[in-house]
Amino acid sequence: MNEPDTAPKAVARTMSRAAAAWLADLDEEQQGPAWWGQPGGEHEAERRKWFYAPTDHGGLPFNAQFDWQQRRAMQLVASGLSPEGYALVSTIMGTENILDYIEEFSSEFDTRRGRDPSRYYLRVFGDPEGDEPWGWRFGGHHISLNFLIVGGEVRSTTPRFFGLDPAVSPLPGGASLDPLKAFQSTGRDLVNSLTPKARAVAMLLDRAPADIVMGNRSAFTDGATMLTLPEIMRRRAGDDDLIERLRVGGIARDALSKYDHADHEHVAVTSAPKGICGAELDRSQQNLLDRLVRTYHDGLPAGLVPSWDVENLYFAWAGPTNVGAPNYYRVQGDDMLIEWDNTSRNANHAHGVIRHISKDFGGDVLAEHRHAWH
């Protein structure tokens, strides 16, 4: 008797078909950067690298693919997302054109076009049609998606990062393009709903850090403080001038936050969560916290969303709570870490990330698989 189908299996099959179709459309030269060894093998360290800056994310970029290959690539990207998640990813990619305009088409980074909607990278690890674990990674400026499939099921969907610069763009008729509105407004509604006593518990500092604190570390690090701009980029030979520009720019960025060493230590991410516990919130506040966490999972296909106990989650905030002010928040607990910052470009440049600490990159299930089958 066949086992009943489940969402993790159904999504894995869709991913497998999409990945195999994309790889089959590539020539030998393209397959070099696009198709690497299976998870847990010699390329495991690379598989666990992820970025959200406009740097080389590793893989085959869209600007090295023909149009029909790009369509195949986007089918694989769509297989790991809900319709809402796919719309968000597509919008983020297109917003690179808006950012290029804002910067007067002058940003270069390590390419001739620094803000480039075609500079998004896709890489498959392992054989998507085989029996062994396999995975895939998609990323570029303000996007990072990471998936692992083991035993024909999607077993890991994190780290998952979404960002926007500008976060809000004006449109004709007084409308606005504001794709991350729920991420920002729900967090602000929650902190503003707290009593003065509860807000004092939730408040880390009255100023926000300039970036997410855990950054793009491959694994949870107890006591992590914010990384510098050069540290979140991929270092390559010949990038010395770029790294120096980033170092100087990062110093200026960090100066705006008015953080010193003690402040960074105070907002460090620790294994003991900081902020106010969900168990101390009233029902309406718990509903806001639950809605906030759910917003970070709405981008996944139905059936891949994990469960959590809102009473075990901690919520922390840094910065003013009024609209338009630089801000940061964190949700931690139940093996989950969410971070949000909206600080630079006058609080119009936002980052949001969710991590499932022991399940990032599927490290836990890979260990179980090796123990059971090898």
Side-chain angles (χ1 to χ4, degrees), residues 77-373:
V77 172
S79 72
L81 299 167
S82 65
E84 297 87 347
Y86 184 78
L88 177 57
V89 164
S90 300
T91 302
I92 292 170
M93 294 171 70
T95 303
E96 287 295 278
N97 285 313
I98 302 176
L99 181 55
D100 213 13
Y101 173 81
I102 289 172
E103 295 180 333
E104 298 180 342
F105 305 99
S106 62
S107 181
E108 292 183 358
F109 287 91
D110 55 347
T111 65
R112 288 190 174 184
R113 186 178 181 190
R115 309 303 188 181
D116 188 349
S118 69
R119 198 183 181 204
Y120 286 82
Y121 300 77
L122 181 60
R123 175 171 284 163
V124 173
F125 294 88
D127 182 0
E129 298 182 293
D131 296 328
E132 291 295 313
W134 71 280
W136 59 276
R137 178 181 70 195
F138 177 74
H141 190 204
H142 285 150
I143 300 173
S144 184
L145 306 176
N146 298 274
F147 293 91
L148 179 74
I149 296 86
V150 179
E153 294 186 348
V154 179
R155 299 296 298 273
S156 178
T157 64
T158 57
R160 196 166 59 255
F161 180 100
F162 303 109
L164 268 177
D165 180 13
V168 181
S169 299
L171 296 174
S176 296
L177 180 67
D178 191 1
L180 299 179
K181 180 179 181 179
F183 296 79
Q184 175 68 92
S185 61
T186 308
R188 183 183 290 112
D189 288 347
L190 177 53
V191 71
N192 282 330
S193 75
L194 300 177
T195 65
K197 182 178 179 180
R199 190 182 300 187
V201 176
M203 191 67 66
L204 295 172
L205 277 177
D206 60 355
R207 288 156 289 117
D211 200 351
I212 56 174
V213 178
M214 187 61 68
N216 62 326
R217 292 174 170 90
S218 293
F220 182 89
T221 303
D222 192 11
T225 56
M226 197 185 77
L227 298 172
T228 65
L229 281 181
E231 289 176 309
I232 65 173
M233 304 285 285
R234 186 187 288 272
R235 299 293 293 265
R236 304 185 309 182
D239 280 350
D240 292 347
D241 289 344
L242 169 64
I243 295 302
E244 177 59 20
R245 293 201 308 272
L246 289 171
R247 186 189 69 81
V248 173
I251 291 173
R253 176 201 68 165
D254 298 342
L256 292 175
S257 70
K258 300 181 180 178
Y259 265 49
D260 59 21
H261 177 75
D263 293 330
H264 283 295
E265 291 291 332
H266 190 74
V267 301
V269 178
T270 55
S271 55
K274 297 175 179 178
I276 189 165
C277 181
E280 300 176 45
L281 304 177
D282 64 29
R283 180 61 60 86
S284 64
Q285 292 164 342
Q286 288 181 348
N287 288 339
L288 279 171
L289 180 54
D290 184 74
R291 187 193 310 166
L292 181 60
V293 175
R294 196 162 300 281
T295 299
Y296 280 83
H297 289 90
D298 280 347
L300 289 175
L304 294 191
V305 177
S307 60
W308 57 85
D309 184 347
V310 70
E311 293 193 353
N312 293 334
L313 301 178
Y314 286 75
F315 174 76
W317 181 278
T321 64
N322 55 295
V323 174
N327 61 88
Y328 167 92
Y329 65 72
R330 179 186 308 164
V331 178
Q332 187 175 348
D334 273 2
D335 201 42
M336 182 189 304
L337 175 65
I338 289 172
E339 287 191 273
W340 164 273
D341 81 89
N342 187 5
T343 54
S344 61
R345 210 177 292 281
N346 295 316
N348 196 26
H349 179 175
H351 297 157
V353 64
I354 179 163
R355 308 189 65 161
H356 288 282
I357 298 168
S358 69
K359 297 179 176 62
D360 278 353
F361 304 105
D364 57 338
V365 293
L366 276 181
E368 292 172 7
H369 177 83
R370 285 194 296 266
H371 179 74
W373 298 99

Side-chain angles (χ1 to χ4, degrees), residues 66-90:
F66 292 106
D67 49 7
W68 67 87
Q69 296 169 330
Q70 293 176 15
R71 171 178 277 185
R72 293 284 197 190
M74 290 306 291
Q75 285 180 294
L76 177 53
V77 172
S79 72
L81 299 167
S82 65
E84 297 87 347
Y86 184 78
L88 177 57
V89 164
S90 300

